[in-house]
Amino acid sequence: MIDTLVWLYILLGLGVVVVALLIKRIATVRVWIRTHQRPGLPFVETGYLKMDDSGDAAQVHVSGGGMRPAVGQVAADMQQNTQKGYVDILTSGFEDDGIQPRYRRMGYIQFDQSATVDKYGYIYKQVKGKKKREVVGYTARPSAPDVPTIYGERSWKTLWLVCTLHAYSGKPKEPEPAPQNGEDKAKAGRGKVKQKEPMAICSYKGIHNSKRDYLPPEARACAYAMLSRFAPRQNYTEYYKDQPYGWKDTALLTTVVYTLLFLLLYIVNTGVLQMPLLGHDEAAVGILIGFYYLLWALIRLIKIDAIENSNSFQPWLDLLNKNLGHKVTNRLIVLLSIPAMIFTYIYYDYDLLPLIWAIGFGVGVNMTLQNGNRRWKINSTFKEEDDTEEEEEDEEVKNPEGDISRQYDWDLDIRYSTKQVHGNLTLYFSANEIADLRHCNPFFLQRKEKSDKEYILFMFHFLKEHRQMLQRVRYISAQIDKLCQKNSLTERDKLQLTLDFVQEPNIQFHRNSEQKAINYYSDYIRYPDETLYDQAGDCNSKALLAAMLFYVTDHDVIYLASRKHQHAAIGVEIKQEQIEEGLFTADELAELCISENGKYYLFCETTGDHFSIGSQIAGMELDDFEEKVLLPVIEDDVDERGEGSETRIYTWNLSAESGRQLTGSLALEFDTLLMAELREQNPFTGYGADGNTYAMNVRTIFNLLATDADYTQQVDTIAEYIRSEAKAAGLSEFDTLQFALNFAQDPNIEYRLDEQCESIDFRKEYMRFPDEVLFDMEGDCDCKSSLTAALFHALGYDVLFLISTKLKHAAIAVECKPEWLSGIQTPDLSAVVREFNGKKYLYCETTGEGNWMGHIKEGDSIMDFEEVVELRLS
């Protein structure tokens, strides 16, 4: 018995030592940084600041960024009277391991309390090369947002274990003078002052006295969070969007581990030592339940440590947290744990009480996860009917997200109606999205190949085909509809309120030649999102915006143009039921409408202000609009597509060694159901469990690409576009292939490792079909090589897919013509040219940005790729 106890104590002692060492390694004080993209959105944990051992410097890392370089550094300068914490922001070298990280100094935080020139706790932005500086923010505790300080706040609510400091933009409010008389006191008591919202929340959890630090870590984190907004824009969203540091996703794993440890303890205690585990010791029950939460915290720390060292087990954790979709099972476990605890409390000496509590709690927390009630994805070649009840789709039209906002305010025309109706809404945009959209505008290239009428029809059909581009227009229409319902407006009132949105001053009228946003092109018609983003447009752009606003409410529209007046407007269909209900009289139909194909179209002037429906600019008549373009809601030869489609817009530039320049822009629409079927057919879906090697799966994909046109439909569209654009620009054959290679490179198709891609369920190894790469707009080296190989093949060239175990890399080589080699500026052609089956092939790097054909990383060679898979034309 004694020997057994000794061994048990030894094992327990070793366990305590191991846990202590593990906690020491992973319990480093980190200051978590939470920010939001814009006011009103929830705060997201975007990164953390970590102090070095000396305490002189601190580094900021992106949440989920693994072993990638720090995105910021905050170092303290302890010189007399200039005690500042200087903030350096990473400008390059985050994605590419071959580039030495470079940092740029953005400003500093003042932390000398005795400073007379600088203000304590203020954050300054300083432009490089200039002495001028400006206050961009300050740090303060959440309980006193207008009192600058560099020390965070602890609260009894957190048992003094959480220290929080906020970063606020601008300057703190000056204290208001005390009221002098009763009247002033009464005024001061009215209303509630809105709490100032922070730009960032920085906090750490643990026992650490930050007042011992001359510049506390929470103040450094706030300074970084504030100044990073002014650094060159870098998007790290893909690293922290899944919130890898949360608690809830480790609750079920903790339950599993706790169950194993509890059962081991129970067997040892009752079986080996012949002793009851708990008996009726209520205090012991609480202690064992408390161990569950200690274990939970420890497992979460282990997960964080794994993530930050690029060894994340998040995909396996997500799989564990998913069940078979039967929510009732989870509920039964939680509900039955209550009577089970009562039973063991009364009849079983409390022994299993902590275990039942842990199971019920872990399953209950897991139910609150988004993944907690999702099905496991079971891959099968057979299509089975899903008998589960489908959830109803959310019918609400949502406002697209973005980091740039535009505010719109308009009123129902007082000359038209005595009702006072005011509308206001905010739309959000992404600058990159608008830039891509402008590149897709047929007027952007100014080729003047078609008439304005043909371009209007093209843009209308383009918007109908790519329905996502009308999401903001639909949102506006939905808000107008709510206004009409709230104020009991008629259908006629709704037409006027929609027209008022497009008119001034909400959307300003400006001639194109005055607009820098469109390069001062005099002949340019904006897409609706361009007009909304610019909040301005000429008569043509405003008319197209109005046309699409009425189109999404199921009204046929006629686009009207007058060569005589160089002016454009629209006509909106008056439906037969509106005539029958008496909304329009016979006289109004004659005076205010244009009759076309047996329908009445109500004239709508979109420029200026206070134009009621049907009214015209003085000096113009309806007959002056001789050019008419019908924009119908339903077209039999166009509107046959299903609803399950998504649009992707691609924009890229030619990076040619010859110096030639060309910009490509293209939009493709994908059927989401077909994409789901394509993923199921990918041989890498079962990689690692089906016995097939990597090379075997690559050959399977290439055989399908070479023999079945269904796998290259989108690739063929891109190839045709590249061919026509290159011909129009007079590109050589070599530069045409370079243009195709640039399509697959960053930033058009973003480089991302498989295990970081949610679109493929974070698989460790998965080579996509080309259409999958196009749909996801991301991929690692083999995915981008798959796409490029298919593009080159569609352009009429044999291709080699190259696999290197030595370099842990994949690339391609394209059939090479002898005259190409003389134009390649490389010291060693043998490193980039390879002979295979009697042909010479030229190396092509698909990752990164701007890599030229025939160039390879210094020290590497095309001969380092041991495995070759060929994609031939015949």
Side-chain angles (χ1 to χ4, degrees):
M1 179 71 71
I2 297 176
D3 291 340
T4 305
L5 279 172
V6 170
W7 278 111
L8 183 60
Y9 288 143
I10 291 173
L11 289 174
L12 286 174
L14 288 174
V16 170
V17 171
V18 170
V19 170
L21 292 174
L22 186 60
I23 291 176
K24 182 181 178 181
R25 177 192 171 192
I26 63 184
T28 305
V29 174
R30 288 185 174 95
V31 182
W32 303 103
I33 302 172
R34 291 190 292 152
T35 61
H36 55 185
Q37 288 187 336
R38 59 175 184 266
L41 286 182
F43 283 86
V44 178
E45 206 165 66
T46 56
Y48 64 89
L49 178 140
K50 183 179 178 182
M51 298 286 287
D52 67 2
D53 295 334
S54 65
D56 294 334
Q59 291 188 334
V60 180
H61 294 268
V62 176
S63 299
M67 299 298 289
R68 294 186 181 278
V71 295
Q73 298 175 345
V74 188
D77 183 355
M78 295 298 294
Q79 294 180 9
Q80 189 175 8
N81 298 326
T82 60
Q83 293 181 2
K84 303 170 183 177
Y86 287 101
V87 180
D88 299 331
I89 307 293
L90 182 71
T91 57
S92 64
F94 183 81
E95 294 286 357
D96 193 344
D97 296 334
I99 299 177
Q100 185 72 20
R102 291 192 293 272
Y103 295 86
R104 173 181 170 187
R105 180 148 295 175
M106 296 302 301
Y108 62 89
I109 179 173
Q110 179 68 38
F111 64 89
D112 180 13
Q113 298 188 55
S114 62
T116 55
V117 179
D118 290 309
K119 294 185 177 180
Y120 171 69
Y122 276 59
I123 302 171
Y124 294 85
K125 174 188 173 186
Q126 187 166 340
V127 181
K128 189 176 181 181
K130 298 182 180 180
K131 294 183 179 179
K132 185 179 178 182
R133 62 182 185 181
E134 61 175 312
V135 175
V136 294
Y138 64 97
T139 58
R141 296 178 176 180
S143 62
D146 293 314
V147 182
T149 180
I150 58 173
Y151 297 108
E153 180 175 59
R154 293 183 183 272
S155 167
W156 66 268
K157 295 178 182 178
T158 61
L159 299 179
W160 299 90
L161 292 177
V162 178
C163 181
T164 303
L165 189 67
H166 287 182
Y168 295 93
S169 61
K171 298 180 181 180
K173 291 181 182 179
E174 296 294 334
E176 296 183 2
Q180 298 298 319
N181 51 54
E183 183 180 354
D184 290 336
K185 290 180 180 179
K187 288 182 180 179
R190 293 173 193 163
K192 186 178 181 181
V193 179
K194 186 177 180 182
Q195 184 74 19
K196 188 171 184 180
E197 186 176 23
M199 293 299 299
I201 300 174
C202 300
S203 60
Y204 62 82
K205 302 174 181 67
I207 302 173
H208 175 75
N209 186 3
S210 62
K211 289 195 175 183
R212 295 176 182 172
D213 304 308
Y214 45 81
L215 179 56
E218 64 267 29
R220 300 180 189 233
C222 285
Y224 164 80
M226 182 61 65
L227 291 171
S228 63
R229 298 182 303 136
F230 306 102
R233 186 76 176 177
Q234 296 193 51
N235 186 12
Y236 304 115
T237 308
E238 64 270 21
Y239 294 96
Y240 60 76
K241 67 181 180 181
D242 294 321
Q243 289 296 282
Y245 302 125
W247 283 85
K248 291 183 178 180
D249 63 346
T250 50
L252 192 61
L253 177 60
T254 304
T255 297
V256 174
V257 177
Y258 183 85
T259 301
L260 295 175
L261 294 176
F262 186 93
L263 292 176
L264 179 62
L265 176 64
Y266 186 82
I267 292 171
V268 170
N269 211 66
T270 59
V272 178
L273 302 180
Q274 300 294 317
M275 296 171 58
L277 180 62
L278 297 175
H280 289 282
D281 191 348
E282 295 181 359
V285 173
I287 292 172
L288 280 182
I289 290 177
F291 275 123
Y292 172 88
Y293 296 100
L294 291 175
L295 183 63
W296 192 12
L298 182 62
I299 288 176
R300 174 180 174 269
L301 287 174
I302 293 172
K303 180 190 72 168
I304 293 174
D305 184 66
I307 290 172
E308 297 309 331
N309 289 282
S310 296
N311 189 27
S312 175
F313 52 84
Q314 192 72 38
W316 301 103
L317 194 59
D318 290 339
L319 183 61
L320 172 69
N321 288 329
K322 291 180 181 180
N323 58 36
L324 292 177
H326 302 300
K327 298 180 183 179
V328 66
T329 306
N330 288 337
R331 295 193 184 104
L332 282 173
I333 292 173
V334 175
L335 290 174
L336 290 175
S337 64
I338 297 173
M341 282 190 287
I342 296 173
F343 176 83
T344 189
Y345 177 79
I346 297 173
Y347 298 105
Y348 210 67
D349 293 344
Y350 300 174
D351 272 9
L352 299 180
L353 197 60
L355 178 61
I356 298 171
W357 168 265
I359 293 173
F361 181 83
V363 173
V365 171
N366 185 64
M367 287 173 61
T368 64
L369 281 175
Q370 187 177 9
N371 285 339
N373 293 304
R374 288 184 178 177
R375 284 182 176 275
W376 290 343
K377 185 175 180 182
I378 301 173
N379 299 305
S380 173
T381 55
F382 300 99
K383 194 172 182 180
E384 297 182 359
E385 300 251 344
D386 190 358
D387 296 326
T388 57
E389 204 174 307
E390 293 184 3
E391 296 183 2
E392 293 184 6
E393 293 185 2
D394 186 10
E395 297 295 335
E396 182 184 359
V397 180
K398 295 183 179 180
N399 191 355
E401 294 184 358
D403 54 4
I404 300 174
S405 64
R406 295 287 187 266
Q407 185 74 33
Y408 307 87
D409 291 276
W410 75 106
D411 298 285
L412 181 63
D413 196 338
I414 56 175
R415 299 186 184 185
Y416 166 81
S417 173
T418 57
K419 293 184 177 181
Q420 294 184 351
V421 180
H422 176 73
N424 65 84
L425 59 87
T426 302
L427 297 179
Y428 298 99
F429 300 85
S430 163
N432 291 335
E433 177 188 356
I434 296 299
D436 290 343
L437 183 59
R438 294 207 202 275
H439 280 88
C440 286
N441 193 311
F443 288 92
F444 183 80
L445 298 176
Q446 293 286 296
R447 288 183 178 170
K448 310 290 178 65
E449 297 172 347
K450 300 179 181 179
S451 65
D452 284 358
K453 178 179 179 180
E454 290 175 306
Y455 276 136
I456 286 292
L457 274 173
F458 169 82
M459 295 172 78
F460 174 67
H461 288 140
F462 186 80
L463 290 167
K464 289 182 71 175
E465 182 178 355
H466 304 288
R467 283 179 286 272
Q468 284 177 304
M469 296 176 63
L470 288 174
Q471 191 172 353
R472 291 183 181 87
V473 172
R474 286 193 171 89
Y475 179 76
I476 296 168
S477 180
Q479 300 307 305
I480 291 174
D481 194 50
K482 289 180 181 178
L483 272 176
C484 293
Q485 292 177 12
K486 180 180 178 181
N487 294 278
S488 303
L489 300 184
T490 65
E491 283 296 317
R492 181 166 178 164
D493 297 334
K494 183 178 179 180
L495 292 176
Q496 180 63 48
L497 190 59
T498 304
L499 184 60
D500 288 327
F501 177 89
V502 182
Q503 293 178 1
E504 288 191 322
N506 198 36
I507 305 294
Q508 293 285 338
F509 173 77
H510 288 298
R511 299 186 184 280
N512 289 336
S513 55
E514 303 168 353
Q515 294 290 290
K516 180 182 179 181
I518 56 172
N519 297 330
Y520 307 106
Y521 291 146
S522 58
D523 187 13
Y524 191 99
I525 301 178
R526 293 169 166 92
Y527 277 114
D529 274 5
E530 290 182 84
T531 306
L532 292 169
Y533 180 79
D534 298 334
Q535 291 187 294
D538 67 347
C539 56
N540 291 286
S541 299
K542 286 160 72 77
L544 184 58
L545 170 60
M548 302 317 295
L549 276 170
F550 289 119
Y551 162 78
V552 297
T553 56
D554 294 329
H555 284 87
D556 285 353
V557 182
I558 193 167
Y559 189 93
L560 306 171
S562 169
R563 287 192 294 270
K564 175 182 177 181
H565 299 291
Q566 293 295 300
H567 191 62
I570 64 166
V572 181
E573 173 200 8
I574 297 178
K575 298 181 179 180
Q576 187 62 36
E577 57 266 26
Q578 294 173 336
I579 299 174
E580 293 173 356
E581 292 172 1
L583 289 178
F584 296 92
T585 65
D587 291 339
E588 286 177 327
L589 293 177
E591 295 174 6
L592 308 179
C593 297
I594 294 174
S595 179
E596 190 78 14
N597 297 330
K599 292 184 178 181
Y600 288 102
Y601 293 88
L602 182 65
F603 183 84
C604 293
E605 176 60 50
T606 61
T607 58
D609 192 14
H610 298 309
F611 282 100
S612 302
I613 49 177
S615 60
Q616 303 153 39
I617 296 177
M620 292 188 189
E621 297 180 1
L622 295 181
D623 292 339
D624 293 336
F625 293 88
E626 68 282 349
E627 196 79 44
K628 301 180 179 69
V629 184
L630 183 61
L631 309 178
V633 174
I634 301 297
E635 295 176 281
D636 294 336
D637 58 339
V638 175
D639 300 304
E640 296 179 355
R641 296 178 181 268
E643 290 296 326
S645 61
E646 292 185 21
T647 299
R648 299 290 185 267
I649 297 177
Y650 310 90
T651 304
W652 74 103
N653 296 309
L654 169 64
S655 176
E657 203 164 5
S658 63
R660 296 296 301 272
Q661 295 182 349
L662 182 63
T663 295
S665 58
L666 181 66
L668 296 176
E669 186 173 24
F670 295 83
D671 187 313
T672 54
L673 292 177
L674 290 179
M675 289 306 306
E677 292 178 7
L678 186 62
R679 292 205 199 276
E680 290 182 0
Q681 296 168 16
N682 193 307
F684 279 92
T685 300
Y687 183 68
D690 55 9
N692 292 337
T693 64
Y694 178 88
M696 289 169 63
N697 286 342
V698 172
R699 287 190 173 87
T700 299
I701 288 179
F702 271 45
N703 288 337
L704 290 170
L705 295 179
T707 58
D708 194 335
D710 290 341
Y711 291 89
T712 58
Q713 289 181 1
Q714 302 286 22
V715 171
D716 292 339
T717 302
I718 300 169
E720 185 57 39
Y721 172 83
I722 289 174
R723 194 181 286 113
S724 62
E725 290 294 301
K727 182 178 180 181
L731 293 185
S732 66
E733 187 179 13
F734 186 80
D735 284 347
T736 299
L737 285 175
Q738 180 66 51
F739 192 40
L741 177 62
N742 291 138
F743 178 92
Q745 294 175 354
D746 282 355
N748 194 37
I749 305 297
E750 188 176 358
Y751 176 79
R752 190 176 299 170
L753 298 175
D754 291 336
E755 54 264 33
Q756 297 172 348
C757 295
E758 183 180 5
S759 57
I760 56 173
D761 296 330
F762 308 103
R763 289 186 173 92
K764 189 174 182 180
E765 189 61 71
Y766 184 94
M767 175 174 150
R768 297 165 168 97
F769 278 110
D771 279 7
E772 290 182 86
V773 183
L774 293 169
F775 182 75
D776 298 336
M777 296 186 75
E778 64 181 10
D780 62 356
C781 57
D782 57 1
C783 295
K784 289 156 81 73
S785 296
S786 164
L787 170 61
T788 314
L791 263 177
F792 284 173
H793 184 263
L795 289 169
Y797 297 87
D798 289 346
V799 186
L800 299 181
F801 186 89
L802 308 173
I803 307 168
S804 173
T805 305
K806 173 186 175 182
L807 304 177
K808 296 182 180 179
H809 190 49
I812 66 163
V814 65
E815 174 188 349
C816 178
K817 296 188 177 179
E819 58 268 23
W820 295 355
L821 301 178
S822 59
I824 299 174
Q825 300 174 14
T826 180
D828 185 9
L829 278 174
S830 64
V832 293
V833 178
R834 180 171 189 161
E835 189 166 337
F836 189 84
N837 287 343
K839 287 185 178 182
K840 288 187 177 180
Y841 291 85
L842 182 65
Y843 180 84
C844 297
E845 178 58 55
T846 61
T847 58
E849 181 179 359
N851 288 315
W852 290 335
M853 291 176 56
H855 288 260
I856 195 169
K857 185 178 178 181
E858 186 177 353
D860 293 347
S861 169
I862 193 172
M863 301 308 295
D864 290 333
F865 294 84
E866 311 93 357
E867 192 86 35
V868 176
V869 182
E870 191 175 17
L871 179 60
R872 297 183 62 88
L873 292 171
S874 57

